[in-house]
């Protein structure tokens, strides 16, 4: 290993509520110098959701660590509970919802990175908080 390892705390990752819920990129190009993808944590309160979108260059791994979520993949509902994961293939429209009575938390990883950050994510429905700041995932810190 040639570079010094970078440890990033979840609490230090900038929260993003623009698309719903709370998304924090913990390890990525800006936070840790990642070059192949990024990983973070999604937290959804009961009734919250992440609006539908797709990634033209990346597949997404979603692993639920607390509670349960409904992942809608190209319109098909898939229930994912704590201790379970689901793969969202490249180009698949997806939305994540919490229909439970307790908060849900999931770890996600996307890779490979898009050629530039603005090409990595395509929204397909209105955003819950469009005026919220959009943290940049790409670009080395």
């Amino acid at each position: 290993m040639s570079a010094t390892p970078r440890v990033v705390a979840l609490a230090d990752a900038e929260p993003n509520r623009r698309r719903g819920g709370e998304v924090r990129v913990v390890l990525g190009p800006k936070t840790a110098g990642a070059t192949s993808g990024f990983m973070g944590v999604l937290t959804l309160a009961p009734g919250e959701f992440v609006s539908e979108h797709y990634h033209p260059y990346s597949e997404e791994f979603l692993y639920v660590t607390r509670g349960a979520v409904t992942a809608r993949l190209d319109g098909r509902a898939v229930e994912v509970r704590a201790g379970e994961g689901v793969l969202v293939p490249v180009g698949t429209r997806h939305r994540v919802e919490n229909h439970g009575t307790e908060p849900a938390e999931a770890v996600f990883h996307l890779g490979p990175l898009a050629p530039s950050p603005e090409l990595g994510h395509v929204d397909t429905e209105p955003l819950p908080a469009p005026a919220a700041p959009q943290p940049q995932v790409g670009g080395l810190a």
Side-chain angles (χ1 to χ4, degrees), residues 63-127:
Y63 178 79
V64 178
T65 58
R66 180 172 58 148
V69 300
T70 300
R72 296 194 181 276
L73 308 178
D74 282 337
R76 179 176 171 220
V78 178
E79 299 299 320
V80 189
R81 293 175 175 71
E84 298 178 332
V86 64
L87 173 66
V88 180
V90 174
T92 300
R93 292 180 350 265
H94 56 289
R95 184 181 211 266
V96 182
E97 307 163 349
N98 180 357
H99 297 291
T101 58
E102 64 180 86
E105 188 173 84
V107 174
F108 61 88
H109 176 268
L110 279 85
L113 292 172
S116 62
E118 64 276 2
L119 297 177
H121 191 107
V122 178
D123 294 306
T124 54
E125 76 172 312
L127 303 179

Side-chain angles (χ1 to χ4, degrees), residues 55-59 90-91 111-115 119-120:
H55 307 285
Y57 296 92
S58 309
E59 59 187 1
V90 174
L113 292 172
L119 297 177

Side-chain angles (χ1 to χ4, degrees), residues 12 20 31 34 38 43:
D12 293 336
T31 61
F38 61 93
T43 305

